[in-house]
Amino acid sequence: MQKVWKNLTKSKEISILAIIVVLAVCITIVNPNFLTVSNFFDIMRSNSIYGIMALGMLPVLISGGIDLSVSSTITLCAVVMGKFLQANPGSNIVVAILLCMVVGALAGLVNGLLVTKFHIPPIVATLGTQTIVMAAVLFYTNGMWISGMPDWFLSFGDIQFGAIPSAGKVVGMPIQILFLILVGIATWLILKYTLMGRGIYAVGGNVQSATRVGYNVSRVTTFVYIYSGTLAGLAAVTDILIVKQIDPNTFSGCELDVIAIAVLGGASVMGGIGTVFGTFLGIILMAVIKNGLVLVRVSSYWQKVVMGIIILVTISVDVINRRIEKARLVHVDVEE
Amino acid sequence: MDRVFLEISNVSKTFPGVKALDNVRFDIRPGEVHALVGENGAGKSTLIKILSGVQPPDEGAKILIEGKETQFAHPIDAIKKGISVIYQDFALFTNLTVAENIGINETIEQKKKVVSWRAIQKKAKDALDFLNVQIDPNAIVENLSVAKQQMVAIASAVAQDAKMIIMDEPTSALSRGEVERLYEIIDLLKEKNMAIMFVSHKMDELFRVSDRFTVFRDGQYVGTTDADKITEEELIAMMVGRKIEVKRYANLEEKGEVVLRVENLSKKGNFKDISFELHAGEVVGFTGLVGAGRSEVAQAIFGISPADSGVVRVGDEEVHIANPAQALEKGIAYIPESRQTQGLVLPKTIADNITLPLLRTFANKLGIINREKQMSAVDEWIKMLDVRPNDPTMLAMQLSGGNQQKVVLAKWISTKARILIVDEPTNGVDIGAKDEIHKILRQLAKDGTAVMVISSELPEILSVSDRIVVMRRGRITAQMDNDAVTQEAIMQKALV
């Protein structure tokens, strides 16, 4: 029994999956509307924005860093795109998406350079850029909503794939979820099959050894911030495709939710550990908590309490496990 | 067999104020285990750093690999030339699989963008098969035992086509059985024509694995000899054989009453059955190898990590010290080894550091500190210990190692502890300051304090101690008065 428990707590993915199943069962018992395809698509669509950003946060966390500036980057990209579409209503979706991703990548590049060239701790560097960019964007927009997106753009957001009968209706998978899945596959491929991806794990696991075996630590570090910024840009597109207008205030503070998803999914804030699969579970868990608790009429304040408790429990189990491991390795060989 | 793989000569390494290596040489042949032997501080680690490309040697060093002169600009250069180091902490990626740790290097070296897991798996399997060890290539390194992690590190060196493996104290974290297994691996590597530089100071294993010994002492080359032409005693004599007369301050007559009595103190995995006494007015030197458990005993007494069993008496009173605050209350002070991280607040002034444990005595009822009182106390200490520069507003981080140590001493001495434990008090301190610190410790003893000095440096132990306690592998192996003791006798107890 002890061994089973140990293995369970060691594989964080399993425990998160278990939490999701338990929550889903409980919520469904109270409100059968929860476990339907249409509801699942619904909640995943609205959480795809956070999910995409969390997949960008994942490599940053694995490398041992943190990116607090995703909230300002997504806001910046959304506003840039809004203004661009207002000025160029005749553009097309490919240009719009690329524009957002390039702006996001540039914001990420600044973070990466601050961390690698000026040796500013990631938490400070990204807090600084977040504050500056957010304030500048709010100053520029005056906090006003931007609307009046072109029709071709808005209709792109309504694309659905397939036709699945659910709860008396026929629903398809929204394009925003396709974005999320594609980003997931891309992130997985990068982390698993490129030398850059393995370098991210190596740098997060042991910087000194990573340098020694010949990884370019600066390049790896810069890459993760660019990647995070790029995905924040894509998340901006995804967001506008859902809400169809831009509120410059809506993402203030969202970086904590994004980090929470990655951490819930098993990424270690100490670096070296984290998977795309786990992050997906984190996204689903976040979505289930948010939506499910609404369906069972739990106050929205309690959602955050539940999130917080789950984060603390999963992380402290992780930290305690690691400390036990460490203690096991350090000892004097006493002659008995 | 006579072909030489690596030959170095004229290798020196100067650090500010210290000559860590002075004109040493070393050579090694394929299929040979050549042990580098010496006390702590002999320069072994410095040579490893040079050979692994972590630090460059001073100008004029000559390094020949297979007859060709070379230089290392980066650790990767040494690896490419066929020199791999098995560090004491193995330097593995503990968050990754065994296979990746062993097999990824080739991908990095060839600057491939895409990783072939099949190639990595194969590389890892080949290396593990080569060593004939059974480790699951898909296991996460973190979950392996220390011995297996070491095998992974060796396999990783093999996978990088190492022609020479440097093993730095490879048995220090292994159990008996695991050590035997390591010997077998070393024999196997020898058979396959690998050159092995073996760094250790444990006599039994040195004679078990080595073909030749090269001895360093105080950064200097002492000699090289075949292993079968020398005895343990002769090797120890080569290691310690200083002809420099050490100043002995010992005074065996004026011993006061017993102030600390330790009986059968044990802590699992740290030390066992430790019993000794400290008298007022004496300095007791604790020596032995690094990792023998000396600091652990001190930390148990001081309450940093209390012992599992045993009795500690301060005076006649049995005490159960659970944390450093209680220890201070009982009159025990402990000055840790790494003064920079544990003993000093580096960005604060000398004055603030010295008076840190005493601030309360300078404060009035409202808790406001009387600056004048504080400064006059500080001046007194600076004068007494001769801290240079004698400016109390200097930041601790601006001082030299020796003067930092004096500030740490002042800080704890000012608490008027009856029992003072100092761990490696002159680590990284230059010769002049060393002698001054020794004098301070003697003076404290003369004033009635019981001083326990932990040191790996035998001259230091012989210089300051009235009595000497030797530890080995978590146990006390000898307690002797410092009158006719020789360095050789102490080393025997510490090593064998």
Side-chain angles (χ1 to χ4, degrees):
Chain A
M1 190 60 211
Q2 222 172 4
K3 207 173 173 187
V4 173
W5 169 245
K6 210 173 157 192
N7 284 337
L8 266 182
T9 53
K10 272 215 173 122
S11 159
K12 276 172 289 189
E13 278 92 349
I14 298 291
S15 44
I16 293 155
L17 196 58
I19 294 173
I20 293 174
V21 170
V22 170
L23 276 176
V25 168
C26 294
I27 297 166
T28 309
I29 291 170
V30 180
N31 188 334
N33 287 330
F34 176 75
L35 209 60
T36 59
V37 174
S38 106
N39 188 47
F40 183 73
F41 280 165
D42 248 14
I43 62 172
M44 286 311 285
R45 189 176 82 129
S46 52
N47 280 286
S48 59
I49 304 153
Y50 290 93
I52 290 169
M53 284 195 280
L55 287 165
M57 185 67 73
L58 177 68
V60 179
L61 292 179
I62 294 172
S63 79
I66 195 160
D67 185 357
L68 298 180
S69 72
V70 289
S71 53
S72 62
T73 305
I74 186 174
T75 310
L76 172 72
C77 293
V79 168
V80 167
M81 174 147 85
K83 292 291 178 187
F84 172 78
L85 289 179
Q86 278 182 340
N88 303 284
S91 186
N92 64 63
I93 189 71
V94 176
V95 173
I97 292 175
L98 282 179
L99 176 71
C100 264
M101 290 173 72
V102 169
V103 173
L106 289 175
L109 177 65
V110 173
N111 286 329
L113 293 179
L114 287 175
V115 173
T116 56
K117 299 280 180 251
F118 296 93
H119 302 284
I120 302 174
I123 194 165
V124 178
T126 57
L127 183 64
T129 53
Q130 184 221 65
T131 313
I132 294 169
V133 171
M134 200 61 130
V137 171
L138 289 178
F139 175 77
Y140 174 66
T141 59
N142 232 338
M144 303 284 276
W145 289 41
I146 301 169
S147 52
M149 302 294 117
D151 285 339
W152 55 263
F153 183 80
L154 297 180
S155 59
F156 185 80
D158 296 331
I159 296 174
Q160 296 192 349
F161 298 91
I164 304 161
S166 165
K169 302 179 284 189
V170 176
V171 294
M173 187 183 74
I175 187 150
Q176 291 84 358
I177 297 182
L178 181 72
F179 279 10
L180 178 65
I181 291 170
L182 289 179
V183 168
I185 293 171
T187 310
W188 178 71
L189 286 174
I190 290 172
L191 286 177
K192 174 101 184 174
Y193 288 104
T194 68
L195 194 60
M196 178 60 81
R198 302 322 294 170
I200 294 170
Y201 281 96
V203 168
N206 189 336
V207 180
Q208 213 185 355
S209 301
T211 316
R212 238 181 238 154
V213 300
Y215 281 115
N216 186 335
V217 174
S218 294
R219 213 161 75 197
V220 169
T221 308
T222 311
F223 173 81
V224 294
Y225 290 99
I226 293 178
Y227 191 68
S228 172
T230 309
L231 290 194
L234 184 64
V237 183
T238 316
D239 176 54
I240 307 169
L241 288 175
I242 296 170
V243 297
K244 311 204 187 290
Q245 49 206 351
I246 298 147
D247 172 7
N249 296 296
T250 184
F251 286 108
S252 163
C254 79
E255 70 276 1
L256 296 181
D257 281 343
V258 172
I259 294 167
I261 290 175
V263 168
L264 274 178
S268 166
V269 284
M270 289 178 271
I273 294 170
T275 61
V276 169
F277 176 59
T279 305
F280 261 88
L281 291 177
I283 299 164
I284 295 172
L285 180 55
M286 173 81 114
V288 166
I289 293 170
K290 274 193 194 163
N291 172 258
L293 294 184
V294 170
L295 287 183
V296 298
R297 293 168 195 283
V298 174
S299 147
S300 65
Y301 296 113
W302 282 102
Q303 295 171 17
K304 297 259 170 185
V305 174
V306 173
M307 282 281 291
I309 290 172
I310 294 175
I311 288 175
L312 285 182
V313 169
T314 47
I315 290 193
S316 43
V317 167
D318 178 36
V319 169
I320 291 165
N321 265 340
R322 280 190 164 211
R323 192 174 305 156
I324 292 170
E325 285 298 310
K326 278 247 169 75
R328 199 172 57 88
L329 294 178
V330 185
H331 73 105
V332 178
D333 187 15
V334 181
E335 207 167 7
E336 292 299 329
Chain B
M1 272 303 280
D2 267 325
R3 202 163 45 91
V4 172
F5 172 70
L6 168 93
E7 190 177 1
I8 61 166
S9 51
N10 288 326
V11 173
S12 298
K13 179 75 192 174
T14 316
F15 294 107
V18 196
K19 195 141 200 182
L21 280 181
D22 188 3
N23 222 352
V24 300
R25 56 195 158 94
F26 186 84
D27 68 272
I28 192 163
R29 303 173 198 131
E32 167 188 61
V33 178
H34 191 161
L36 182 60
V37 201
E39 289 182 276
N40 302 316
K44 295 171 296 182
S45 318
T46 311
L47 184 62
I48 294 176
K49 281 184 187 145
I50 289 172
L51 289 180
S52 61
V54 173
Q55 281 173 352
D58 291 352
E59 212 56 32
K62 206 167 169 198
I63 300 178
L64 297 177
I65 290 180
E66 292 176 326
K68 269 187 282 181
E69 185 145 3
T70 13
Q71 283 179 345
F72 308 130
H74 187 273
I76 203 81
D77 296 339
I79 293 172
K80 279 185 186 155
K81 292 269 161 37
I83 301 179
S84 280
V85 184
I86 312 299
Y87 292 93
Q88 274 171 294
D89 63 357
F90 312 137
L92 293 170
F93 300 107
T94 53
N95 55 326
L96 302 177
T97 62
V98 170
E100 185 166 355
N101 269 284
I102 299 172
I104 194 81
N105 299 294
E106 197 181 38
T107 319
I108 300 171
E109 203 176 306
Q110 295 171 352
K111 294 194 178 2
K112 286 186 183 163
K113 294 265 179 283
V114 177
V115 175
S116 159
W117 285 101
R118 195 185 294 169
I120 287 174
Q121 288 279 356
K122 184 171 181 312
K123 195 96 193 165
K125 192 176 171 298
D126 289 349
L128 291 170
D129 286 351
F130 180 89
L131 294 177
N132 194 20
V133 291
Q134 260 75 49
I135 298 175
D136 175 10
N138 297 315
I140 301 290
V141 170
E142 196 169 40
N143 301 331
L144 298 179
S145 70
V146 176
K148 283 193 172 159
Q149 291 191 12
Q150 186 176 49
M151 291 303 157
V152 174
I154 296 174
S156 169
V158 168
Q160 291 175 73
D161 297 320
K163 298 196 183 89
M164 169 177 172
I165 295 183
I166 301 175
M167 296 190 180
D168 185 7
E169 302 276 351
T171 61
S172 53
L174 302 186
S175 72
R176 286 293 163 81
E178 292 165 343
V179 170
E180 279 305 320
R181 183 82 189 95
L182 178 69
Y183 292 161
E184 285 169 28
I185 297 282
I186 290 175
D187 289 342
L188 184 88
L189 289 170
K190 249 174 84 167
E191 232 169 77
K192 309 232 173 176
N193 238 5
M194 188 84 78
I196 295 169
M197 176 171 157
F198 190 85
V199 180
S200 173
H201 36 211
K202 294 183 188 160
M203 284 299 137
D204 46 353
E205 63 189 47
L206 281 172
F207 278 89
R208 163 68 180 76
V209 301
S210 314
D211 299 311
R212 283 196 294 162
F213 300 123
T214 285
V215 180
F216 282 8
R217 187 199 312 142
D218 301 330
Q220 288 180 329
Y221 174 85
V222 176
T224 302
T225 165
D226 286 339
D228 50 13
K229 291 193 184 120
I230 189 170
T231 64
E232 268 183 28
E233 287 73 21
E234 285 164 346
L235 186 62
I236 292 173
M238 276 177 88
M239 286 164 67
V240 297
R242 282 182 198 77
K243 289 289 167 269
I244 317 154
E245 193 52 45
V246 289
K247 270 187 214 157
R248 297 205 190 194
Y249 294 100
N251 180 350
L252 301 171
E253 275 87 58
E254 292 170 29
K255 227 193 259 183
E257 77 280 15
V258 176
V259 289
L260 180 77
R261 189 179 309 221
V262 174
E263 286 163 21
N264 295 322
L265 208 62
S266 299
K267 185 174 169 67
K268 198 166 180 290
N270 284 276
F271 49 82
K272 204 168 166 145
D273 292 335
I274 301 296
S275 302
F276 66 93
E277 290 172 353
L278 287 185
H279 297 259
E282 74 168 347
V283 178
V284 176
F286 270 67
T287 191
L289 301 176
V290 171
R294 300 161 306 168
S295 303
E296 286 78 4
V297 169
Q299 284 167 9
I301 295 171
F302 192 60
I304 294 173
S305 48
D308 301 332
S309 62
V311 181
V312 176
R313 285 197 178 83
V314 174
D316 294 326
E317 178 199 2
E318 185 173 332
V319 293
H320 300 277
I321 294 168
N323 56 53
Q326 290 177 7
L328 286 170
E329 221 167 83
K330 299 285 173 207
I332 305 174
Y334 171 63
I335 303 178
E337 182 176 2
S338 44
R339 63 174 167 271
Q340 300 233 335
T341 52
Q342 294 176 32
L344 273 182
V345 188
L346 287 172
K348 286 275 182 187
T349 63
I350 298 178
D352 287 340
N353 270 290
I354 292 181
T355 52
L356 197 60
L358 292 176
L359 276 183
R360 214 178 301 163
T361 59
F362 303 121
N364 63 17
K365 274 183 192 139
L366 291 170
I368 295 164
I369 289 163
N370 182 334
R371 206 64 192 162
E372 238 163 71
K373 237 176 165 182
Q374 185 189 3
M375 287 323 247
S376 81
V378 168
D379 281 336
E380 210 172 291
W381 280 110
I382 290 182
K383 208 184 281 167
M384 190 166 148
L385 298 179
D386 194 17
V387 177
R388 274 162 300 191
N390 59 0
D391 172 4
T393 62
M394 279 276 277
L395 299 183
M397 58 205 241
Q398 295 170 309
L399 297 176
S400 70
N403 283 298
Q404 283 184 349
Q405 186 67 335
K406 287 185 202 165
V407 171
V408 177
L409 278 172
K411 173 175 153 187
W412 291 110
I413 296 166
S414 66
T415 62
K416 303 218 160 51
R418 280 191 296 163
I419 301 159
L420 178 69
I421 308 174
V422 280
D423 202 343
E424 301 286 359
T426 61
N427 199 354
V429 163
D430 63 74
I431 304 259
K434 221 174 219 182
D435 200 46
E436 286 170 33
I437 288 167
H438 293 165
K439 277 186 191 142
I440 293 167
L441 293 174
R442 291 303 317 176
Q443 184 58 41
L444 281 169
K446 210 173 164 200
D447 296 343
T449 312
V451 183
M452 171 174 166
V453 177
I454 299 171
S455 175
S456 308
E457 283 182 51
L458 285 182
E460 169 160 284
I461 288 289
L462 288 172
S463 173
V464 295
S465 317
D466 296 304
R467 273 189 310 125
I468 296 166
V469 176
V470 187
M471 285 187 69
R472 177 176 166 274
R473 304 188 115 211
R475 284 171 181 275
I476 290 179
T477 49
Q479 302 200 31
M480 34 202 164
D481 285 337
N482 184 14
D483 41 13
V485 181
T486 61
Q487 296 193 30
E488 286 78 3
I490 297 174
M491 280 307 256
Q492 282 282 358
K493 292 291 182 188
L495 297 173
V496 186

